[in-house]
Every structure is written in structure tokens, then in C-alpha cells.
Amino acid sequence: MVLTVCGQCLTEVKVKAERSVEAVEAWMSGVGLGVARHKTEIMLVSGLRAVQEISIEIDDLVIRSQEAIRYLGVMIDRRLCFKTHVEYVTSSALRALNALSAIMRGAGGLSGSRRRLLASVATSILRYAGPAWAEGLSPGRKMELNRVHRLVGIRVAGAFRTISLAAVSVITGMTPVGILIEEDRERYVGRGVVGARTEAKRS
């Protein structure tokens, strides 16, 4: 569950947050449910340059704000630039790629079909929930995603590490993940519209 409060200053945010949590706890208690307070996290979203922090109190528990929190598999940072999420998915994709490579080598080597399986797993990790965060990505973040995807393509093609993203994409037939994520976003925006999927691919 996500609870959002807004305020003009930290004091107002703190008071609203504590009162809102109390209201949620009271309602949940009334229907026979409870809140796992030790799992509660808070994050202060602000466009101000100065670093701000806040803490709220729930009875005797003090919860301090964090720079980023994970929600439904997506890392959300207080600037909403998704820098933390890109770092998270790129490292996760590389770990999965290396782990699966080791398993498949022990099972008799990497055939073409197995290499493509590696690619599909790593690519799925990189583009997970793309419509939720793609619009907030800077060009630098997209480059980081494509950099890791190029390494995936190198594994599939068995090419040298100096090969470019464009070249390895042509050899493997893999669409760069930056394009795939943008396509996912356009599909989501046009969901329910006839032909949206085809138009997203065309654009």
C-alpha cells in the first residue's frame, strides 16, 4: 500500500503523514487487519537542490526518510529520475546473465537457442515495468541500459567486446533495449486503442 501526502514545508508533511498513518491503522484494525510497522518506509520527493530529510513517529517507532525505496520491483528515488532503478536493473541483468552462462556451460555449452534464452532473461529484467519510469529517463540513463544490452548481444553473437551496439544488434537481430522500453511506454499510453501496438513498433 502507498500513502501520499503533500505539504508546503517539512512540518506540514510530517503532521499530515502521522495523522494519515493513524487513520489507516484505525481503519485496518476495524476490519481485522494490522500494519507491519517495521516494514514501513518513507521517502521525501522534492525538486529542491538542498538535501532534505524527514522522520515520522508511529507510537514508539521512528521512521526516517530514505533516498530511494523499492515498490513492486521498481526503485523510486526522491528526484524521480530513476537513476537508482537503472543501477539496480543493470546490475541484476548482469548477475543473471553471468549465472545463467555458468549453468549452461556446465550443461554442455551454449547453443544458439540457449544464448537467445540468456538474452531474453536479461532483456526482461532491463525493461521490467518500463512504462512506469521510461519518461523520466535522461539520455545518460538510456545509454547505460543500452551498454548492458550490448554486452548481452555480445554473448549471443560470440563477438569481440569492441563491437558497437549497432553492429551487434544487426548480427543478432536484437532491438536495443532503449528502443524496446520506449515502445513499451507508447503501447501503454495507447492501451485499448486499435493498432496501438503496430504504431508503437513503427515509430
Side-chain angles (χ1 to χ4, degrees):
M1 181 179 65
V2 176
L3 179 65
T4 304
V5 299
C6 300
Q8 297 297 319
C9 63
L10 293 180
T11 301
E12 182 181 358
V13 171
K14 175 182 172 65
V15 171
K16 284 185 175 181
E18 291 177 345
R19 289 178 178 175
S20 298
V21 170
E22 289 176 0
V24 170
E25 285 195 315
W27 179 86
M28 294 186 72
S29 177
V31 295
L33 300 174
V35 175
R37 296 178 177 178
H38 64 287
K39 294 184 178 180
T40 303
E41 298 176 305
I42 62 172
M43 181 181 66
L44 185 65
V45 178
S46 173
L48 299 177
R49 291 187 176 182
V51 177
Q52 292 184 308
E53 295 182 351
I54 194 173
S55 62
I56 64 172
E57 298 179 10
I58 306 176
D59 291 337
D60 58 345
L61 179 64
V62 177
I63 305 172
R64 293 179 173 79
S65 59
Q66 303 179 46
E67 292 194 7
I69 59 175
R70 183 181 178 186
Y71 182 68
L72 297 178
V74 177
M75 297 298 298
I76 305 173
D77 57 79
R78 59 186 179 186
R79 302 293 187 189
L80 299 181
C81 65
F82 296 99
K83 174 179 180 292
T84 305
H85 182 71
V86 170
E87 293 173 349
Y88 172 71
V89 295
T90 51
S91 61
S92 297
L94 287 174
R95 284 197 303 270
L97 185 66
N98 292 330
L100 285 172
S101 293
I103 292 173
M104 290 184 175
R105 278 196 298 269
L110 292 174
S111 63
S113 60
R114 287 179 173 178
R115 291 181 181 182
R116 292 195 174 278
L117 175 60
L118 286 176
S120 66
V121 171
T123 301
S124 295
I125 293 173
L126 291 174
R127 65 193 288 198
Y128 173 76
W133 47 267
E135 192 171 354
L137 287 184
S138 66
R141 305 282 177 260
K142 291 181 180 178
M143 287 179 61
E144 182 63 17
L145 290 167
N146 281 328
R147 183 190 69 81
V148 173
H149 202 231
R150 183 180 70 87
L151 297 178
V152 175
I154 288 173
R155 293 286 183 91
V156 174
F160 291 109
R161 294 179 67 88
T162 53
I163 192 172
S164 67
L165 174 63
V168 79
S169 297
V170 171
I171 293 172
T172 60
M174 294 168 53
T175 303
V177 72
I179 296 177
L180 291 175
I181 291 172
E182 183 60 28
E183 181 181 313
D184 291 341
R185 188 186 70 82
E186 292 184 13
R187 287 181 180 178
Y188 180 78
V189 172
R191 64 193 183 281
V193 178
V194 176
R197 181 182 296 271
T198 302
E199 184 61 30
K201 281 185 171 294
R202 184 181 297 116
S203 60

